[in-house]
Amino acid sequence: MKNISILGSTGSIGTQTLDIVRNNLDLNVVAIAGNSNVELLRQQIEEFSPDIVCVYQEEKAEELRAYYKDYEVKIVSGMDGLIEAATWDSADIVLTAVVGMIGIQPTIAAIKARKTIALANKETLVCAGHIIMPLSREMGVKILPVDSEHSAIFQSLNGENPRQLEKILLTASGGPFRGWTREQMKNVKLADALNHPNWSMGKKITIDSATMVNKGLEVIEAKWLFNVPYDKIQIVVQPQSLIHSMVQFVDGGIMAQLGTPDMKLPIQYALFYPDRREMDSERVDFGKIAGITFEDPDFENFKGLALALRAAKEGGSLPTVFNAANEYAVAKFLKEEISFLDITEMIEYAMNNHEFIPNPTVEEILKIEQDTRKLLEERF
Ligand code: NAD
Ligand code: MG
C-alpha cells in the first residue's frame, strides 16, 4: 500500500490523480488540500476518507467543519494547514499539484519530512530550484516529474548515463496562437486564449501555454530536475503534441517518449516509478496521424519566452520576479482586467524594475513576490 498526499486535489492534475487512485487499489489517499472548493472536497472526503484535509481559505474550512466531527477527519487551513497536509506522518508520497509559487513552503516541508515528491507544481522549482534540489539530495528524497515533458525526458533517460547526455529537446505545442504576430494577438479574448489545441488543463497553465510562458517555466524546471545548463536545452515546436520530449546523447542518438496527450500517464508513472501499470486510455493510432511537423520557437512574437530565457540565464531572484509577475498578470487577464499582450508587458516591467539578489532565501523569494505584486499594482 502506498499512502499519498495530494496538494491541489480539486484541480485538473489533482482530480486526474484521484482517477488513478480509483483504478489502483494499492494507492491510499491520506491527505488532500485545495483552495476553496468545499463541495468537491466533501465528495473527495466521502469517497477517499483521508485523515486530513486542508482548505486554504479559513472561512471555507469553517464551512467544511460544519459537516464533520473531529474524529472523522481533521480539517486545517492556511499555510500551516497546507504544510501539515504535505508532511502528514503516514504519507509516503506527496503529489504537489497546487498552482503557483504557493507550493514552495509545503514542498520544502515535505522534503524535510523525507516524503517522495511527485512534482506537477513547476512554479515552485522555477523560484526555488536552487534551494529545493540541494535539499532533496541532502535528504535523499526523490523528486519525480509529473509535467508531461519532464516525465518524457525522465523516461527517455531511463538506464542511460546522464553524463552522456548532449542536450534536452523540450517539445512545445505552440499553443492556440502559434504562427501569429503580436499585431494579430492584440485583440485576443479570454475564451480564445483558454482554447488550447491539444491539452485540457487548469486555467492558469492554459494561459501560460497561450503566451508560451509555460515553455519558459519548463526550461527552468528542466534545468533543475536534470541538472543541465541552459545551453543544452533546446525548445522544439511540435504542434501535434505526440512527442512529449526527447533527449540527445553524445553519439547523436535521440530517445523520445510518445503518447496521446493525457496527463494520467505521467502522473501514474511518477506514482509507481520505476514500475509501469496498465492503463485503460486511448492509444496512439499511427495510421490516423497525418504527420509530425517541427518548427523553431518564435521568440519575437512570443516575448514571454524570450523573457523567461533571460530570467533563466541571469538566475538569482529573476526567475521569481518573472514568475510572480506572470501569476499576477494572468490572474488579472482571467478577470478580463487586462489585455493578452499586457501579460508580457507586466512581466518585462517587473524584471526591469527589480533589484537583483544572487541567491535568494525562501523568505526573500516570498518578499520578492509581494514586492512584485505591489510594483505592478502601482504601475498598471
Ligand atoms: P488547477 O487550477 O486546475 O488546480 C489547482 C489546484 O491548486 C486546485 O486544487 C486548487 O484548489 C489548488 N490551490 C490553489 N491555491 C491553493 C492554495 N492556496 N492552497 C491550497 N490549494 C490551492 O491547476 P492544474 O492545471 O491542475 O495545475 C496544477 C499545477 O500543475 C500547476 O503548477 C501547473 O503548472 C502544473 N501542471 C499542470 C498540468 C495540467 O495538465 N493541468 C500539466 C503540467 C503541469
Ligand atoms: Mg508541460
Side-chain angles (χ1 to χ4, degrees), residues 324-334 338 342-343 346-347 376:
N326 181 57
E327 284 188 27
Y328 176 83
V330 171
K332 288 227 157 225
F333 179 68
L334 286 172
I338 61 168
D342 284 342
I343 298 173
M346 283 183 165
I347 299 174
L376 292 175

Side-chain angles (χ1 to χ4, degrees), residues 121-168:
N121 175 229
K122 65 191 83 184
E123 296 91 345
T124 280
L125 269 196
V126 166
C127 302
H130 60 289
I131 297 166
I132 285 172
M133 294 317 289
L135 181 68
S136 69
R137 281 189 286 272
E138 190 194 320
M139 291 289 152
V141 159
K142 279 199 194 74
I143 300 190
L144 302 166
V146 168
D147 207 347
S148 60
E149 294 79 1
H150 304 74
S151 176
I153 295 162
F154 187 59
Q155 293 177 56
S156 301
L157 284 170
N158 229 341
E160 301 284 351
N161 181 345
R163 264 168 293 171
Q164 292 160 357
L165 176 71
E166 193 168 73
K167 64 175 168 182
I168 286 176

Side-chain angles (χ1 to χ4, degrees), residues 3-6 9 18 28-33 40-54 64 68-75 85 88 90:
N3 287 336
I4 154 169
S5 165
I6 306 174
S9 66
L18 289 170
N28 177 39
V29 179
V30 293
I32 54 176
L40 186 52
L41 285 169
R42 244 189 94 189
Q43 289 172 25
Q44 295 179 347
I45 293 170
E46 303 296 330
E47 185 177 354
F48 297 97
S49 315
D51 302 333
I52 180 168
V53 177
C54 171
L64 192 63
Y68 296 101
K69 306 239 173 351
D70 278 348
Y71 60 82
E72 290 172 326
V73 58
K74 182 167 185 182
I75 296 167
W88 192 247
S90 61

Side-chain angles (χ1 to χ4, degrees), residues 40-207:
L40 186 52
L41 285 169
R42 244 189 94 189
Q43 289 172 25
Q44 295 179 347
I45 293 170
E46 303 296 330
E47 185 177 354
F48 297 97
S49 315
D51 302 333
I52 180 168
V53 177
C54 171
V55 194
Y56 194 81
Q57 293 182 19
E58 168 55 26
E59 62 281 7
K60 296 281 176 183
E62 228 10 89
E63 242 178 71
L64 192 63
R65 279 189 197 105
Y67 294 107
Y68 296 101
K69 306 239 173 351
D70 278 348
Y71 60 82
E72 290 172 326
V73 58
K74 182 167 185 182
I75 296 167
V76 293
S77 66
M79 183 48 74
D80 289 346
L82 202 49
I83 289 175
E84 199 174 349
T87 56
W88 192 247
D89 200 36
S90 61
D92 304 306
I93 183 161
V94 179
L95 186 117
T96 63
V98 293
V99 57
M101 54 193 293
I102 189 90
I104 294 174
Q105 292 173 87
T107 305
I108 290 177
I111 295 171
K112 286 186 176 159
R114 293 202 154 82
K115 311 291 185 193
T116 300
I117 308 290
L119 184 120
N121 175 229
K122 65 191 83 184
E123 296 91 345
T124 280
L125 269 196
V126 166
C127 302
H130 60 289
I131 297 166
I132 285 172
M133 294 317 289
L135 181 68
S136 69
R137 281 189 286 272
E138 190 194 320
M139 291 289 152
V141 159
K142 279 199 194 74
I143 300 190
L144 302 166
V146 168
D147 207 347
S148 60
E149 294 79 1
H150 304 74
S151 176
I153 295 162
F154 187 59
Q155 293 177 56
S156 301
L157 284 170
N158 229 341
E160 301 284 351
N161 181 345
R163 264 168 293 171
Q164 292 160 357
L165 176 71
E166 193 168 73
K167 64 175 168 182
I168 286 176
L169 298 158
L170 186 75
T171 54
S173 73
F177 309 130
R178 181 178 56 87
W180 289 32
T181 62
R182 282 176 69 77
E183 188 55 36
Q184 285 172 302
M185 284 184 264
K186 242 183 180 164
N187 297 317
V188 154
K189 294 276 166 292
L190 176 60
D192 307 324
L194 283 175
N195 189 18
H196 195 280
N198 306 334
W199 295 92
S200 156
M201 309 178 285
K203 283 188 179 158
K204 191 260 180 184
I205 184 175
T206 304
I207 302 303

